[in-house]
Amino acid sequence: VQLQASGGGLVQAGGSLRLSCAASGRTFSRYVMGWFRQAPGKEREFVAAISWSGGSPYYADSVKGRFTISRDNAKNTVYLQMNSLKPEDTAAYYCAAGSALTGSDDMYNYWGQGTLVTVSS
């Protein structure tokens, strides 16, 4: 599975962005999909994940209630809708495909390139 993330950009605090991650291959629907992020000088951290069917979304506490993960298996795409953005959300965001609904990046086998989100105060 090859993954291509897009949709990052510069936004003011309180604004919104929607990230997309397009997958190649016909096995997309078999994978759990996740979003992770890495801020400058920090470790990569889990943001959200969704099961193969689109159910059971799972969020980091830091984004719960503000971010929504969804997927469209017909389009081989997973989305991350980000609302009420904060400066601390600034990071490179990565999508990943894995086999378990978890926040542990060890369980994700395929990674896209990052898309940069910058939130100004």
Side-chain angles (χ1 to χ4, degrees):
V1 176
Q2 291 186 322
L3 305 173
Q4 179 78 31
S6 62
L10 174 64
V11 63
Q12 288 189 330
S16 299
L17 280 176
R18 189 175 82 153
L19 305 183
S20 299
C21 176
S24 65
R26 289 177 284 181
T27 60
F28 172 77
S29 61
R30 298 180 185 177
Y31 290 97
V32 168
M33 297 299 298
W35 286 97
F36 292 76
R37 66 187 182 186
Q38 187 168 20
K42 294 189 176 181
E43 296 287 318
R44 185 167 60 192
E45 65 174 1
F46 169 72
V47 175
I50 191 166
S51 68
W52 65 270
S53 66
S56 305
Y58 172 48
Y59 299 97
D61 287 344
S62 58
V63 306
K64 203 172 293 183
R66 300 188 299 120
F67 290 11
T68 302
I69 188 171
S70 61
R71 68 189 294 163
D72 185 338
N73 287 341
K75 294 183 178 179
N76 279 10
T77 302
V78 62
Y79 305 97
L80 186 68
Q81 177 67 44
M82 305 186 295
N83 298 330
S84 302
L85 282 161
K86 305 175 181 179
E88 52 263 44
D89 294 319
T90 294
Y93 283 71
Y94 299 86
C95 58
S99 56
L101 192 66
T102 174
S104 173
D105 57 7
D106 290 348
M107 297 303 291
Y108 291 83
N109 308 104
Y110 303 98
W111 292 82
Q113 91 296 349
T115 186
L116 185 61
V117 173
T118 303
V119 185
S120 63
S121 57

